[in-house]
Amino acid sequence: MKNIYEPVTAEIVKVERQSKDVLLFRLRSKGGVPFGTPKRGMHFTPGQFMLAGVWGYGEAPFGIASDPYETEYIELVVRRVGDVTGAMHLLEKGDTMTLRGPYGNGYPLEFFKGSDVILITGGSGIPPIASLIRYIIHNRKDFGMVHLVYGAKTSAGLLMKREISKWKRKIDVTLTVDGPECDWKGKCGFVSDCLTDIKVNPANTVVAMCGPGPMVDSIEQLVNPMGISDRKIFISMERRMQCGVGRCQHCVTGRKYVCTDGPVFNLDEIDRNWD
Ligand SMILES: Cc1cc2nc3c(=O)[nH]c(=O)nc-3n(C[C@H](O)[C@H](O)[C@H](O)COP(=O)(O)OP(=O)(O)OC[C@H]3O[C@@H](n4cnc5c(N)ncnc54)[C@H](O)[C@@H]3O)c2cc1C
Ligand code: FES
């Protein structure tokens, strides 16, 4: 019988520095076997996560940042905060990592189709939103207006800048940093300040969000002024995880398991279940 906790070995084919403490890893499974079983051409649903690790250090969950239609590799964007991510940051091109997944539900793509989409994120919350944007661009005619609002404390903290500059040709992008900076040509202020500039048709708009913590805590203040109903607002939540498959209870909140019921929840569910 297959051991559900057994990871595959993935080779690092590219490492790209995104900021002082964030690296992007491009990973290919050994032997070139694609990750996940493809469904409608996609190897995962944007918003799903992988459990990635280093032998001897353990595993941690990471949202997948790459294009779900990509067959050759997946990309993870990893902020160095502790033991596992510290060990990952010592790895180089040609080294290996362990990988399990994809896990979790991902954003409800069919529900999003036909709507205007507002994507809201900050700091290292960009990976699952990046994957969702790649999906939307791949299927651009299925969506109305698409706005990305992405903020960070400083411009150096904005990740995936090269990709974002390409996305600007297909979707509307607002980048913002908390305070004024020399040479910064984007907006200054919080993400909430930029949202008021977007013309919203609440009846036909969905919202997709991903952390960081303080942004999640202020979700109601962020989205309430837009008048969009809670069931159309989706947010990817973070909880400490171990198994990733609904067995260990590490990620439980209220009646929900973040690893299997989430990590993407709508605001209605969060109100009823969050502790
Ligand atoms: C679904 C999901 C997707 C994620 N996607 C990404 C991603 O794309 N990129 C990324 O860099 N990180 C992501 N994270 C967070 C990442 O999993 C943690 O940073 C990682 O587990 C830290 O492991 P560590 O051993 O390096 O740190 P540890 O030594 O375990 O912890 C270091 C510090 O980080 C805190 N911490 C650890 N895990 C979490 C967590 N899940 N939530 C809040 N605080 C935590 C600890 O309390 C401690 O203060 C995601 C988490 C989840 C649940
Ligand atoms: S991480 Fe084990 S139950 Fe969710």
Side-chain angles (χ1 to χ4, degrees), residues 37-273:
T37 314
K39 265 192 222 145
R40 295 194 200 119
M42 294 192 294
H43 289 271
F44 62 90
T45 303
Q48 284 193 298
F49 65 93
M50 300 294 285
L51 276 160
V54 182
W55 289 116
Y57 291 88
E59 301 175 303
F62 299 95
I64 311 172
S66 43
D67 187 335
Y69 294 102
E70 176 58 57
T71 55
E72 296 291 314
Y73 59 80
I74 61 163
E75 288 177 343
L76 304 179
V77 176
V78 178
R79 180 178 297 280
R80 177 170 34 81
V81 294
D83 295 344
V84 176
T85 51
M88 285 177 165
H89 271 240
L90 297 175
L91 299 174
E92 296 175 352
K93 185 177 169 188
D95 289 338
T96 57
M97 265 189 210
T98 66
L99 273 185
R100 299 195 273 132
Y103 293 137
N105 56 357
Y107 292 98
L109 304 177
E110 288 303 315
F111 184 78
F112 281 16
K113 278 190 183 164
S115 301
D116 293 343
V117 185
I118 302 178
L119 305 149
I120 307 170
T121 188
S124 53
I126 188 78
I129 297 291
S131 171
L132 181 56
I133 291 171
R134 286 166 158 152
Y135 171 85
I136 289 172
I137 289 176
H138 200 100
N139 298 282
R140 190 65 189 87
K141 63 178 183 343
D142 292 340
F143 299 89
M145 293 292 291
V146 180
H147 306 264
L148 166 67
V149 182
Y150 178 31
K153 284 199 183 99
T154 64
S155 57
L158 290 166
L159 312 176
M160 305 189 79
K161 289 196 199 79
R162 190 139 34 100
E163 289 79 0
I164 291 171
S165 64
K166 289 186 204 149
W167 300 337
K168 281 181 178 166
R169 283 180 238 136
K170 303 279 182 181
I171 66 169
D172 184 53
V173 174
T174 304
L175 300 179
T176 184
V177 298
D178 287 0
E181 277 178 33
C182 311
D183 297 338
W184 172 245
K185 294 189 180 66
K187 295 232 174 204
C188 286
F190 298 127
V191 160
S192 47
D193 306 327
C194 302
L195 290 173
T196 52
D197 297 342
I198 299 176
K199 246 182 130 200
V200 180
N201 169 6
N204 191 41
T205 302
V206 294
V207 174
M209 279 183 74
C210 183
M215 187 184 276
V216 175
D217 294 341
S218 61
I219 180 170
E220 310 245 341
Q221 292 93 299
L222 273 175
V223 293
N224 278 355
M226 293 194 279
I228 299 165
S229 85
D230 288 0
R231 65 180 191 89
K232 292 180 162 188
I233 296 167
F234 295 84
I235 178 154
S236 177
M237 300 297 284
E238 286 197 9
R239 269 292 186 278
R240 304 212 71 162
M241 288 187 187
Q242 263 187 13
C243 71
V245 291
R247 303 279 168 94
C248 73
Q249 304 216 8
H250 267 77
C251 67
V252 165
T253 176
R255 286 177 290 119
K256 300 280 180 183
Y257 285 58
V258 175
C259 66
T260 48
D261 297 318
V264 177
F265 295 91
N266 70 33
L267 197 46
D268 252 358
E269 288 176 286
I270 291 174
D271 284 346
R272 278 184 277 112
N273 288 289

